[in-house]
Amino acid sequence: MPHRQKTFLSSPHMSGHEQKYIQEAFDLNWVAPLGNNVNGFEEELASYNNISDVAVLTSGTDAIHLALRLLDVTPEDTVFVSSLTFVASANPILYEGATPVLIDSEPETWNMSPEALERALKDAEQEGKLPKAVIIVHLYGQSAKVDELLAVCRKYNVPVVEDAAESLGSEYKGQKSGTHGDFGIYSFNGNKIITTSGGGALIANDAEAIQKARFLSTQARDPAIHYQHSEIGYNYRMSNIVAGIGRGQLEVLDERVAQRRANFDRYVEAFAHIPGVSFQPELKDTKSNRWLTALTIDPEITGVDRTDIIKRLEEENIEARPVWKPMHLQPLFEGVTYYPHEEGNSVSDRLFEHGICLPSGSNMTEEQQGKVIDVLNEFLL
Ligand SMILES: *Cc1c(COP(=O)(O)O)cnc(C)c1O
């Protein structure tokens, strides 16, 4: 019997329009460095998200790094960040030699707890050391409690960077994810809802800041005919070929959101009624792109350990993963200050221990998803 074709957590799903933009770049010999596709992709991303300014870059991680540079983060500073996230949210804090402070999740969105943030900011103020920025992540496509978080940050006058790497196309109160804070970032990495093979974007309603980001992302070259430099720059700019892929992908983003939401609904239909199974909630007045379907399986109620499910799926050539391991549990962040949701109640610990992400790609067939559901039913029915 031929081995079952692998079912991925999330794999690239091309629209078929990408090559038209790439061909155009070849025809005009705008293969490098910049050109029509970079400008076009920036304008189209701005228009889709209803934001004034966008710089496309080589990754989402670079975009966070540039946001921190623009906010003048130095080795003397602290930066607050969601603990339950992919390490890329926090690594740029370390690039600048600054000190991270990790903030727990709340149970209603799995994202940054406004209560924990408030306690952390209060302590910081008392110590006379407010953070230079708060990085808020929208996990698996679900928006954090933006109003509550922004209110706390405004009270202490601390700028906000939204890590919307996973939430492109999601909405909070009708407004696109990533556009609420001072800066927002997107990722077009291979496993994200749309991909350029690798890439990212920094966004803001601030033309001057985004122009500065473009400058920093092209080695910070001063305006002179000779090569002159007065500050540290990076090679972070997206290429015109890569941007062509992005333009073809952006055309189908809404379709991809609908497909991923349909995957989520099918999982909910199969398992939501089972005691001890809880899906990542969708907060009222928000729309998640459901980049990944994430759920928790309580071993005390179901008698099932999520790791056993992941191993069993692997035998069927199906990729599933635990929910992100929180940063406060990572060796890299050992000793870093952590604020749980409530004293003695760390929400992200529980989400990690019981949480699982199921295959969620927009190109997953119903047959493939049916197999995933069958395997889970071996454990849960
Ligand atoms: C993917 C991801 C990033 C980083 O994006 P890259 O383009 O891979 O650098 C940052 N934050 C989160 C939450 C992510 O999932």
Side-chain angles (χ1 to χ4, degrees):
M1 215 178 79
H3 203 51
R4 180 185 295 279
Q5 200 193 336
K6 182 149 182 142
T7 302
F8 292 99
L9 206 56
S10 177
S11 68
H13 186 184
M14 295 295 107
S15 70
H17 310 158
E18 294 83 4
Q19 288 186 338
K20 177 183 80 188
Y21 295 106
I22 295 171
Q23 191 58 49
E24 203 175 280
F26 273 74
D27 291 345
L28 298 167
N29 202 28
W30 263 329
V31 171
L34 300 172
N36 261 7
N37 285 334
V38 168
N39 299 335
F41 192 32
E42 287 183 344
E43 279 163 24
E44 287 149 16
L45 270 170
S47 151
Y48 178 87
N49 291 296
N50 197 18
I51 190 112
S52 65
D53 299 280
V54 175
V56 289
L57 304 165
T58 44
S59 76
T61 311
D62 301 344
I64 299 172
H65 188 198
L66 289 183
L68 297 186
R69 270 293 305 270
L70 292 167
L71 292 169
D72 196 28
V73 171
T74 72
E76 281 73 53
D77 293 317
T78 58
V79 175
F80 291 6
V81 61
S82 306
S83 187
L84 187 63
T85 186
F86 179 50
V87 70
S89 306
N91 266 335
I93 303 169
L94 304 182
Y95 299 167
E96 286 304 316
T99 305
V101 170
L102 303 168
I103 313 290
D104 195 13
S105 301
E106 43 76 17
E108 287 178 305
T109 68
W110 297 16
N111 290 306
M112 188 182 280
S113 158
E115 290 83 356
L117 177 64
E118 171 99 57
R119 289 205 317 283
L121 283 170
K122 207 168 156 192
D123 285 354
E125 191 184 45
Q126 274 169 7
E127 289 158 22
K129 202 168 167 42
L130 284 168
K132 270 280 174 72
V134 175
I135 303 172
I136 298 170
V137 181
H138 305 295
L139 212 63
Y140 303 129
Q142 171 57 50
S143 280
K145 291 186 172 176
V146 169
D147 283 351
E148 290 86 340
L149 292 168
L150 289 189
V152 182
C153 290
R154 286 208 189 97
K155 186 165 132 193
Y156 292 91
N157 215 2
V158 178
V160 169
V161 177
E162 278 181 273
D163 179 347
E166 302 179 3
S167 62
L168 179 61
S170 300
E171 292 173 11
Y172 180 89
K173 296 192 173 168
Q175 192 180 324
K176 293 293 183 198
S177 190
T179 63
H180 299 81
D182 297 270
F183 291 99
I185 77 96
Y186 300 123
S187 166
F188 313 111
N189 192 15
N191 62 355
K192 296 302 195 302
I193 192 159
I194 61 170
T195 181
T196 59
S197 74
L202 179 68
I203 68 165
N205 280 312
D206 184 341
E208 203 180 318
I210 296 300
Q211 197 48 45
K212 180 81 194 271
R214 293 193 185 105
F215 166 78
L216 292 173
S217 72
T218 50
Q219 308 286 16
R221 188 173 147 195
D222 293 338
I225 55 164
H226 51 277
Y227 286 80
Q228 177 169 304
H229 306 273
S230 316
E231 58 185 309
I232 297 176
Y234 311 92
N235 186 4
Y236 280 175
R237 198 74 165 117
M238 184 179 277
S239 89
N240 200 46
I241 298 296
V242 164
I245 305 176
R247 297 182 80 183
Q249 287 276 283
L250 192 59
E251 287 181 14
V252 292
L253 175 56
D254 286 338
E255 212 177 300
R256 299 296 181 252
V257 172
Q259 286 159 329
R260 289 192 189 241
R261 287 179 63 85
N263 291 340
F264 179 86
D265 290 344
R266 282 192 287 269
Y267 284 129
V268 165
E269 204 177 309
F271 307 122
H273 60 280
I274 296 173
V277 172
S278 320
F279 285 82
Q280 183 183 25
E282 190 171 50
L283 191 70
K284 191 171 165 289
D285 295 328
T286 70
K287 181 181 177 183
S288 173
N289 67 12
R290 295 295 186 193
W291 171 57
L292 294 185
T293 290
L295 60 153
T296 55
I297 298 174
D298 186 336
E300 281 178 23
I301 301 172
T302 59
V304 177
D305 185 321
R306 61 114 162 91
T307 308
D308 295 334
I309 298 181
I310 294 170
K311 284 186 185 147
R312 175 78 189 93
L313 287 166
E314 186 64 37
E315 284 168 18
E316 296 292 337
N317 212 14
I318 296 167
E319 183 187 24
R321 287 289 162 89
V323 160
W324 297 125
K325 181 172 184 172
M327 293 305 115
H328 71 274
L329 301 177
Q330 300 282 357
L332 178 62
F333 294 102
E334 208 184 314
V336 165
T337 306
Y338 170 60
Y339 282 87
H341 179 51
E342 299 163 320
E343 296 299 345
N345 175 19
S346 175
V347 170
S348 58
D349 278 68
R350 208 165 47 247
L351 292 171
F352 167 60
E353 281 160 26
H354 300 170
I356 176 171
C357 297
L358 296 177
S360 305
S362 48
N363 50 4
M364 175 172 63
T365 64
E366 286 201 34
E367 192 197 345
Q368 284 176 311
Q369 191 176 11
K371 183 64 202 175
V372 178
I373 290 170
D374 288 346
V375 171
L376 263 77
N377 276 334
E378 290 174 17
F379 290 87
L380 295 171
L381 280 192

